[in-house]
Amino acid sequence: MKWNSAIILLLASGFQSCQFSDHPYKEGKLVYLQQCSPCHGNTGEGFGKLYPNLSDTAYIRQHRNELACWIRHGIGMPASVRSTLRHSDMTMPGFKTLNAVDLSNVLNYINHELWKFSGEFSLQELENGLKSCP
Amino acid sequence: MRLPAAYLIVLTLLSLSCSKKKLPILGLRQIENGDTIYAKTPDFSFLNQYGNRMDKSILEGQIHVANFFFTSCPTICPKTIRSMIRIAEHFKDHPKISYLNFSIDYKKDSVERLKSYYDKLQVSIKQFHLLHIPSMEEIKRVTEMYMSIAVEDPDAPGGFDHSGWLLLADKDFHIRSYCLGTDDKEVDRFIEDIESLLDEME
C-alpha cells in the first residue's frame, strides 16, 4: 500500500508540474500576441521607425496611470509624445474589446517580460485608470 | 555481399522518400486540346516606392513573393510585412527572388507615402517593392488573380477587409505555394517551399 500511494503521489506531482510550470502570465501573453505583437513585435522590440519598442521603462513608469486609456482608446500621438518616442506620425488604434481584466493581464505580462516593476497592475488600478480617460 | 546490397536498397528507398516533393501548381486550370492551361499571376504596370514603373518584365526568370497591405493598416499588415522582410533577409538579396507588396489603399497610399513607409522599415533589400495600384477595379483584379481578397469596408479596422496570404509564384507565373503571413510557423514552412522552388530552377 505504501508503494502504491508513493507512486500516486509521484504521478500527481508530475501532473502538477506539467500544469503549472508554464508561463505565469499566459492569458496576458495571448492578448499580447494577438493584439500588440503585430506592430510592437513578439518581444516588444518595435518595428523599424514605424512602431515604437515597449522597452523605454522610464517613460512607461512616468505614464503608468495613462496606459489603460492609451490601450483602450488609442493614442493620437500629440507632438510631445511623438518627440519623446522619437517615432513616426503613425497613431495607435484603440482596442475597445479589451476589458480591465485583459488590460491587467497584458500589462502584467509585459511587465514580467520587459519592465520588471515591483508592483503588479491590479484590476483596481486599471478600472480607476479607465474611469479617468479624457 | 548480401548485406551491403540490402543496405543499399534501404538507403535508396530512404533517400527517395526524403527527397522533397515538387510543389503543386495552384489555382484554376482549363483543358484545351488535351493540354492543361494553368492560371497565371496578373499582368500589371504600377509605380513602386521610388516612383519607377514596374511591370511583369522585371520578374523575368525570377520567382516572386506577393503580399497585400496598406500603410495605415492597424491589424495584420504590420505582421505580414514583417514576415516579408524576414523571408527577404533569409534569402539575402538572392538575385532570383522579387518581393511585391501591393498596396490596396489606392486613395491614401501615394508613391510618397509608400516611400516614407519603406524608409521607416529601415531595411535595405533589393527587389523589395511597395506598389501603388491606381484603382479599386485594378485592386480587385490583381487580388483575385493572386487568390486573395481586398474589399473596402468602413466597419473594418483601417477601412479594408483583406486576407493575409503571402503567395509564391514560379518563373512561369504559376502560384506554387502560399502561407498565412501572420503565422511564424507557416512562414517557416513557406521559406522551405521557396527553397525547393529555387532548387527546381537549377
Side-chain angles (χ1 to χ4, degrees):
Chain A
M1 273 307 279
K2 261 184 195 168
W3 278 110
N4 277 354
S5 49
I7 286 170
I8 287 171
L9 260 177
L10 256 175
L11 280 175
S13 64
F15 185 62
Q16 267 211 337
S17 66
C18 283
Q19 282 214 308
F20 296 105
S21 66
D22 272 333
H23 199 283
Y25 296 99
K26 226 173 163 180
E27 292 298 321
K29 184 176 185 178
L30 281 178
V31 174
Y32 182 83
L33 290 179
Q34 277 176 5
Q35 313 283 356
C36 316
S37 73
C39 293
H40 295 292
N42 287 347
T43 56
E45 76 276 18
F47 188 9
K49 280 193 169 173
L50 272 179
Y51 311 112
N53 68 53
L54 300 177
S55 48
D56 189 342
T57 309
Y59 183 78
I60 297 290
R61 190 190 298 277
Q62 193 187 338
H63 293 274
R64 177 166 178 151
N65 295 333
E66 295 155 75
L67 296 179
C69 295
W70 285 359
I71 300 173
R72 172 67 71 78
H73 300 292
I75 315 175
M77 293 281 176
S80 58
V81 174
R82 208 159 51 223
S83 61
T84 325
L85 290 178
R86 298 180 299 276
H87 273 287
S88 66
D89 53 351
M90 301 290 289
T91 57
M92 177 166 125
F95 293 82
K96 306 243 184 292
T97 56
L98 300 182
N99 59 30
V101 174
D102 299 324
L103 293 177
S104 136
N105 281 334
V106 77
L107 287 170
N108 281 323
Y109 168 71
I110 303 172
N111 186 34
H112 177 263
E113 296 289 313
L114 286 177
W115 304 328
K116 323 275 187 198
F117 300 146
S118 54
E120 298 229 333
F121 289 85
S122 70
L123 196 54
Q124 188 63 46
E125 176 183 356
L126 292 160
E127 278 167 351
N128 289 341
L130 286 175
K131 273 181 210 149
S132 63
C133 290
Chain B
M1 273 310 278
R2 256 188 222 162
L3 255 176
Y7 267 121
L8 260 181
I9 290 171
V10 169
L11 277 176
T12 319
L13 282 175
L14 269 178
S15 65
L16 273 177
S17 64
C18 288
S19 67
K20 277 182 187 166
K21 276 184 202 155
K22 208 177 162 193
L23 297 170
I25 297 178
L26 306 175
L28 297 173
R29 60 200 60 186
Q30 293 174 326
I31 310 287
E32 274 175 27
N33 303 324
D35 289 333
T36 310
I37 313 289
Y38 294 98
K40 290 189 173 188
T41 61
D43 288 323
F44 63 87
S45 174
F46 301 139
L47 296 177
N48 74 356
Q49 73 269 32
Y50 298 109
N52 296 325
R53 188 160 289 279
M54 297 284 133
D55 60 27
K56 238 175 160 175
S57 69
I58 63 163
L59 306 173
E60 207 67 50
Q62 290 192 341
I63 67 176
H64 72 273
V65 184
N67 168 39
F68 294 90
F69 83 112
F70 56 108
T71 61
S72 59
C73 171
T75 51
I76 59 179
C77 323
K79 186 76 196 185
T80 63
I81 284 275
R82 222 186 259 275
S83 298
M84 288 292 277
I85 292 172
R86 180 153 80 86
I87 296 167
E89 286 179 343
H90 178 91
F91 289 100
K92 296 191 188 82
D93 289 333
H94 194 294
K96 286 193 172 161
I97 314 178
S98 277
Y99 305 91
L100 307 184
N101 298 279
F102 295 97
S103 166
I104 56 168
D105 189 349
Y106 67 101
K107 285 179 194 153
K108 281 198 212 130
D109 285 346
S110 59
V111 167
E112 291 74 23
R113 201 170 152 123
L114 291 176
K115 175 67 167 60
S116 127
Y117 185 86
Y118 180 74
D119 288 343
K120 284 175 190 152
L121 296 176
Q122 297 197 299
V123 290
S124 170
I125 306 165
K126 286 174 192 156
Q127 300 172 146
F128 195 90
H129 303 286
L130 310 186
L131 296 163
H132 171 76
I133 309 183
S135 70
M136 206 57 217
E137 291 79 56
E138 278 287 89
I139 289 167
K140 192 166 183 296
R141 178 182 72 86
V142 172
T143 47
E144 277 177 5
M145 291 179 81
Y146 276 108
M147 309 196 300
S148 296
I149 294 170
V151 287
E152 283 177 290
D153 176 0
D155 294 331
F160 290 91
D161 263 336
H162 69 118
S163 47
W165 305 115
L166 306 186
L167 299 113
L168 173 65
D170 64 20
K171 63 177 173 33
D172 300 314
F173 305 108
H174 299 306
I175 294 177
R176 303 291 296 275
S177 179
Y178 63 92
C179 73
L180 206 52
T182 51
D183 184 326
D184 289 338
K185 283 198 184 109
E186 278 212 29
V187 173
D188 288 340
R189 190 262 308 154
F190 189 68
I191 287 175
E192 286 172 18
D193 286 352
I194 298 174
E195 277 165 353
S196 84
L197 193 57
L198 287 171
D199 288 346
E200 190 185 297
M201 282 169 80
E202 279 167 5

